[in-house]
Amino acid sequence: MHKRLTVFLVITLIAGLAVASDGGTRSDLTPKDLQRVRSVTAPTTDFSKPENFEQLPAGAATVKKRVNRDIFSFSSANLSFAEEETFKLGNGLFTKLWVSAPASTEASDGLGPLFNARGCQNCHLKDGRGHTPAGPDDDAASMFLRLSIPPRDEADRTTLADGGAKVIAEPTYGGQLQNFAIQGIKPEGRMVISYADEPVTLGDGTVVTLRRPSYSVADLAYGPMAEDVMLSPRVAPQMIGLGLLEQIPAEDLLARADADDRDGDGISGRPNMVLDPLSGQREVGRFGWKAGAASIRAQSADAFAGDIGISTPLVMKPHGDCTAAEAECLAAPTGEQARLGVSEAPDPVLDLVTFYSQNLGVPQRRKVGDPQVLRGKQAFYSANCTACHTPKYVTSRQAPTEAHKFQLIWPYTDLLLHDMGEGLADNRPEGDADGYEWKTPPLWGIGLTEAVSGHTEFLHDGRARNLTEAILWHGGEAQKSRDAFANMPKSQRDDLIAFLESL
């Protein structure tokens, strides 16, 4: 089947009709192949039927399993038998619960001392989206607060400008608030969320009540935070399709950037160029809510250190996010043991978790030919949602994993930063991203959120309780598209939502 799909893709590429005008050059393709790719990825103008291969959002890697709560947890369909084994080993480490040091389970100790979760799966529940705390007694295991302060002096400004750091961490509590700690250590504090109702009247008189969140911190254990601390709430994102996003050529992403809005369409996306610890170079950020990581390996290492307090060969922080103001934390034993490797999670641990994260498959589309879904797709295009939620790409021929190589994919993202307006602003810069900018999140799999995660909370902090609320929170560069949706007749809004739910 996979061979047939590859043949069909090649035929479709060869049979291309037109060349899109917004693509860049690609070093992995011949000029002839580039023309074919541009043809296939050009926006459609025919909404009478599905496009070729639209049902397979991850190309030959698409997962064709029955939809249930495990649908985000399958490997890419085109992995080899040997790669399947590697994926399963990575799965075991992704679900592993770490313990404090010292412990008899020497390969599993090193937790914390401060932490947000004991394992990757605790945040990425069923490899899906995290959620807001259900109430005062619910912990925030899949949601936390990032912390930072504005630069205080020239050294801070130089560090940020050089890419040596993406933020200046809060002096006492570090880069994020950890609400858990090992025995004998006090957790840093507790995230507090309150909501205020905010009614919005749509064009046809329908009233939708949004909930506007406010964030603060209670029970601080190590003294007050800096008065100018900046808080940024983050819900754990879903994990599917990351390896394919990693293989979208940078040229294709940069070709869509328009920082100065020279084309005058009101959309001015730009990349978050971050220092990648693997290459030592500034690369296009692709992962995280503000595109703060250029690679899945870097993102995984940061999460090991910040969320679990585990050091890896890429981030050697055995005390995690502990600061000099948290002396007991820094004095606690670590899980580093020379005979097992330099870090608490030496390779192949990080290798296997990275491979697992790169190969969680994207489920196939549902109802792709349904008339309501097709009408909704047309409404999505007519509202110019595709200006940021770019429908499709062809991945690099030079992808290191065969399963990711030269696949026609449909992630609906440009991976660029966009000003999303005052309503969504966290007022906290991260690298090149300012306090109003967020990365366009991919939409593939968004219609399966309830099936996998048991809720329909969206956006970076889960404030939107459904897709309609998520769209209505769009502002800034997305204001025109948001207004177009708000002024659609109810039937057309329903069509657009049906399209999103089919992704």
Side-chain angles (χ1 to χ4, degrees):
M1 178 61 193
H2 296 158
K3 290 182 178 178
R4 291 210 306 269
L5 175 61
T6 301
V7 171
F8 283 142
L9 174 57
V10 170
I11 291 173
T12 303
L13 294 173
I14 291 174
L17 298 176
V19 179
S21 60
D22 59 354
T25 58
R26 281 178 51 166
S27 58
D28 64 317
L29 300 177
T30 65
K32 188 176 181 181
D33 273 352
L34 179 62
Q35 184 174 7
R36 295 165 183 162
V37 167
R38 296 300 173 227
S39 165
V40 167
T41 55
T44 186
T45 56
D46 181 1
F47 301 96
S48 65
K49 61 183 184 299
E51 296 172 74
N52 289 336
F53 309 112
E54 190 174 3
Q55 192 172 12
L56 305 175
T62 303
V63 171
K64 302 172 186 175
K65 303 281 189 180
R66 179 183 298 177
V67 171
N68 58 33
R69 202 182 173 202
D70 295 323
I71 191 62
F72 283 179
S73 298
F74 295 102
S75 64
S76 300
N78 54 349
L79 291 187
S80 68
F81 186 75
E83 289 170 332
E84 276 284 346
E85 181 183 17
T86 304
F87 177 85
K88 289 174 180 173
L89 290 170
N91 186 20
L93 293 166
F94 197 80
T95 57
K96 174 179 182 171
L97 295 179
W98 294 82
V99 300
S100 59
S104 58
T105 52
E106 294 180 343
S108 299
D109 67 352
L111 175 69
L114 298 167
F115 61 95
N116 293 104
R118 289 184 59 199
C120 308
Q121 187 83 218
N122 292 50
C123 292
H124 302 282
L125 308 167
K126 306 296 287 184
D127 304 297
R129 194 180 302 266
H131 60 82
T132 59
D137 298 327
D138 187 21
D139 64 55
S142 59
M143 180 181 183
F144 62 79
L145 288 175
R146 286 274 170 83
L147 313 172
S148 60
I149 59 172
R152 294 281 174 84
D153 49 34
E154 194 57 34
D156 283 352
R157 283 185 280 276
T158 299
T159 298
L160 294 175
D162 292 347
K166 287 168 281 191
V167 301
I168 302 300
E170 202 283 334
T172 302
Y173 291 89
Q176 64 191 57
L177 182 75
Q178 275 104 5
N179 52 331
F180 296 107
I182 63 172
Q183 61 278 6
I185 305 291
K186 293 178 289 188
E188 291 185 313
R190 179 170 54 86
M191 177 175 63
V192 177
I193 312 174
S194 61
Y195 293 102
D197 286 347
E198 190 166 298
V200 175
T201 302
L202 307 186
D204 63 0
T206 300
V207 176
V208 177
T209 300
L210 304 180
R211 57 175 187 174
R212 181 179 290 276
S214 296
Y215 298 95
S216 59
V217 181
D219 304 330
L220 287 173
Y222 300 93
M225 283 187 178
E227 291 184 358
D228 52 356
V229 65
M230 298 178 284
L231 308 178
S232 184
R234 306 290 173 92
V235 167
Q238 63 189 27
M239 296 288 294
I240 57 173
L242 300 183
L244 292 166
L245 295 178
E246 198 169 38
Q247 296 308 322
I248 297 173
E251 298 97 318
D252 281 358
L253 300 175
L254 295 174
R256 300 192 65 82
D258 185 18
D260 299 322
D261 192 22
R262 291 181 179 176
D263 63 6
D265 67 351
I267 308 296
S268 54
R270 62 187 184 129
N272 194 350
M273 300 300 295
V274 296
L275 188 65
D276 183 48
L278 296 173
S279 66
Q281 304 293 320
R282 291 261 192 155
E283 308 279 359
V284 176
R286 300 166 187 249
F287 305 106
W289 286 103
K290 294 212 177 200
S295 67
I296 298 168
R297 185 175 171 86
Q299 176 77 1
S300 301
D302 284 344
F304 263 118
D307 301 349
I308 313 176
I310 295 292
S311 62
T312 61
L314 216 53
V315 180
M316 293 294 289
K317 292 183 176 179
H319 291 98
D321 197 32
C322 296
T323 70
E326 299 166 326
E328 292 179 347
C329 184
L330 287 178
T334 74
E336 291 183 336
Q337 299 159 73
R339 69 178 185 82
L340 296 176
V342 176
S343 61
E344 292 169 319
D347 282 332
V349 174
L350 184 58
D351 288 341
L352 291 169
V353 170
T354 299
F355 187 85
Y356 175 76
S357 302
Q358 287 171 327
N359 287 289
L360 283 158
V362 179
Q364 65 180 341
R365 289 271 308 274
R366 287 85 50 217
K367 300 181 179 179
V368 67
D370 183 279
Q372 184 182 27
V373 169
L374 290 170
R375 291 196 303 270
K377 179 181 175 183
Q378 186 169 16
F380 186 82
Y381 275 63
S382 68
N384 202 30
C385 304
T386 53
C388 302
H389 290 286
T390 309
K392 48 191 170 175
Y393 300 87
V394 173
T395 59
S396 174
R397 276 195 183 279
Q398 297 170 348
T401 300
E402 193 68 26
H404 301 151
K405 194 173 292 183
F406 205 52
Q407 298 293 328
L408 173 62
I409 63 172
W410 307 68
Y412 287 90
T413 176
D414 60 9
L415 297 180
L416 299 177
L417 300 171
H418 294 276
D419 180 344
M420 295 301 292
E422 188 71 38
L424 287 177
D426 66 350
N427 298 302
R428 177 182 180 272
E430 179 180 332
D432 293 335
D434 68 25
Y436 290 80
E437 291 177 316
W438 297 95
K439 181 197 75 181
T440 307
L443 296 181
W444 52 13
I446 197 168
L448 295 170
T449 300
E450 185 166 18
V452 173
S453 304
H455 66 76
T456 55
E457 294 182 346
F458 299 108
L459 301 176
H460 66 281
D461 57 0
R463 70 177 68 184
R465 291 163 293 191
N466 51 55
L467 292 169
T468 295
E469 290 187 19
I471 296 169
L472 294 177
W473 273 110
H474 282 51
E477 298 174 37
Q479 186 69 45
K480 288 184 179 178
S481 295
R482 175 265 181 213
D483 292 347
F485 173 78
N487 290 314
M488 289 177 183
K490 181 179 185 306
S491 61
Q492 195 173 21
R493 294 199 305 272
D494 290 345
D495 292 344
L496 194 152
I497 296 297
F499 165 68
L500 293 176
E501 290 177 340
S502 77
L503 297 178

